[in-house]
């Protein structure tokens, strides 16, 4: 039977530490908790890494976080050779916060890129150093300099980033909210989580379950490293941190 893990990161992406209880350890050594701050790999964002601290003082290094039988079951995958906790153990959770914060900045930057390039998304991947989004774009006139300039205008404006829940019916009435060409947001759960940018979501809103920073200013300096042609109408944009290197 799949467990339902309370996903604390959904309401507060800034929780770097928390306490939880071990619910089960599966036959592959994966640790399931009653609640967690560890984001599980999905939607192009990699899962979190960090530590589980046991009462006796031992710490278990978590190398990956994934979902189990259902999206609501979150499994903490220990690195090799770690102590094994028992069901019922109280544990302290600590994220590798510098890594997670980079992923939050990058993930938010990806949303900004979908504002600058309002085209159907065919793929995306968020990384600590480099993120990519593939768009179905018929015209090839975008330059990395122009896209970078418009991204940095959105960063400089320091727009708020927040979430809000809508119903399946509201989403069905606003099909334009969905930017992904192939991936549909989960339907039938009753509530869809929208990630909104700008006062009253004036800049953007789209369904997303990932972790984001509180305002676009926190994304910091980014640039488009490359725009690659992948197929006739597919363009792959790569986002990197820092200023654009001199040519
Ligand atoms: Zn997102």
């Amino acid at each position: 039977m799949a467990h339902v893990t309370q996903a604390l990161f959904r309401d507060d992406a800034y929780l770097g530490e928390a306490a939880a209880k071990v619910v089960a350890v599966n036959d592959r050594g994966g640790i399931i908790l009653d609640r967690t701050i560890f984001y599980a790999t999905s939607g192009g964002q990699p899962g979190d890494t960090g530590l589980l601290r046991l009462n006796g003082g031992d710490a278990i290094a978590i190398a990956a976080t994934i979902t189990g039988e259902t999206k609501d079951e979150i499994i903490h995958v220990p690195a090799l050779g770690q102590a094994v906790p028992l069901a019922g153990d109280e544990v302290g959770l600590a994220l590798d916060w510098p890594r997670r914060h980079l992923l939050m900045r990058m993930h938010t930057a990806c949303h900004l890129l979908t504002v600058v390039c309002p085209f159907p998304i065919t793929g995306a991947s968020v990384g600590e150093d480099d993120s990519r989004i593939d768009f179905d774009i018929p015209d090839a006139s975008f330059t990395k300099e122009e896209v970078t300039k418009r991204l940095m205008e959105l960063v400089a404006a320091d727009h708020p980033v927040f979430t809000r829940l809508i119903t399946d019916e509201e989403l069905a009435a606003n099909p334009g909210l969905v930017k992904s060409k192939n991936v549909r947001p989960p339907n039938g759960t009753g509530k869809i989580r929208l990630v909104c940018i700008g006062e009253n979501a004036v800049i953007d809103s789209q369904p997303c379950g990932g972790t984001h920073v509180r305002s676009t200013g926190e994304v910091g300096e980014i640039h488009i490293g490359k725009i690659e042609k992948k197929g006739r109408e597919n363009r792959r944009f790569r986002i990197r941190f820092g200023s654009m290197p001199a040519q």
Side-chain angles (χ1 to χ4, degrees):
M1 190 198 73
H3 298 89
V4 174
T5 312
Q6 190 189 348
L8 301 173
F9 52 82
R10 247 175 235 146
D11 293 324
D12 186 356
Y14 285 83
L15 284 175
E17 299 192 4
K21 190 183 276 189
V22 176
V23 170
V25 178
N26 70 23
D27 50 10
R28 292 177 303 268
I31 300 165
I32 299 159
L33 306 171
D34 60 342
R35 50 197 232 138
T36 193
I37 51 177
F38 283 67
Y39 181 79
T41 302
S42 72
Q45 181 178 334
D48 284 322
T49 57
L51 290 177
L52 301 190
R53 291 199 180 88
L54 301 175
N55 267 338
D58 278 344
I60 300 170
I62 299 301
T65 309
I66 57 175
T67 51
E69 286 175 45
T70 68
K71 282 249 173 196
D72 291 323
E73 184 179 69
I74 297 178
I75 298 174
H76 306 77
V77 181
L80 284 177
Q82 305 293 301
V84 179
L86 298 172
D89 281 355
E90 305 275 350
V91 290
L93 318 184
L95 290 185
D96 177 346
W97 176 253
R99 174 177 179 270
R100 156 68 94 71
H101 191 241
L102 286 173
L103 292 170
M104 284 162 57
R105 290 169 59 201
M106 265 299 192
H107 188 137
T108 309
C110 289
H111 284 246
L112 297 181
L113 181 55
T114 70
V115 172
V116 174
C117 297
F119 297 97
I121 297 167
T122 55
S125 170
V126 179
E128 300 148 62
D129 306 313
D130 185 287
S131 295
R132 65 165 176 81
I133 303 186
D134 296 342
F135 293 99
D136 203 341
I137 303 184
D139 91 87
S141 62
F142 284 89
T143 67
K144 56 185 185 178
E145 289 77 12
E146 179 61 21
V147 174
T148 296
K149 181 170 161 278
R150 293 186 52 201
L151 284 174
M152 285 310 298
E153 286 167 4
L154 291 168
V155 170
D158 200 20
H159 295 292
V161 180
F162 57 95
T163 60
R164 136 178 133 73
L165 294 175
I166 61 168
T167 61
D168 291 340
E169 292 73 31
E170 285 175 275
L171 183 68
N174 294 280
L177 290 171
V178 180
K179 301 189 179 187
S180 175
K181 198 172 170 178
N182 312 317
V183 185
R184 300 275 112 188
N187 205 344
T189 54
K191 289 285 176 191
I192 307 283
R193 181 182 191 249
L194 284 188
V195 173
C196 306
I197 302 177
E199 296 294 340
N200 301 314
V202 66
I203 303 295
D204 189 46
S205 52
Q206 57 182 296
C208 184
T211 60
H212 311 82
V213 291
R214 290 188 185 108
S215 72
T216 61
E218 199 171 320
V219 170
E221 186 151 36
I222 49 171
H223 67 278
I224 297 297
K226 239 186 219 173
I227 302 176
E228 299 161 90
K229 197 168 189 291
K230 294 271 171 192
R232 198 163 55 86
E233 294 192 342
N234 225 26
R235 298 286 181 288
R236 172 167 293 178
F237 288 63
R238 290 193 177 275
I239 306 173
R240 291 182 186 142
F241 284 124
S243 57
M244 187 174 275
Q247 295 300 308

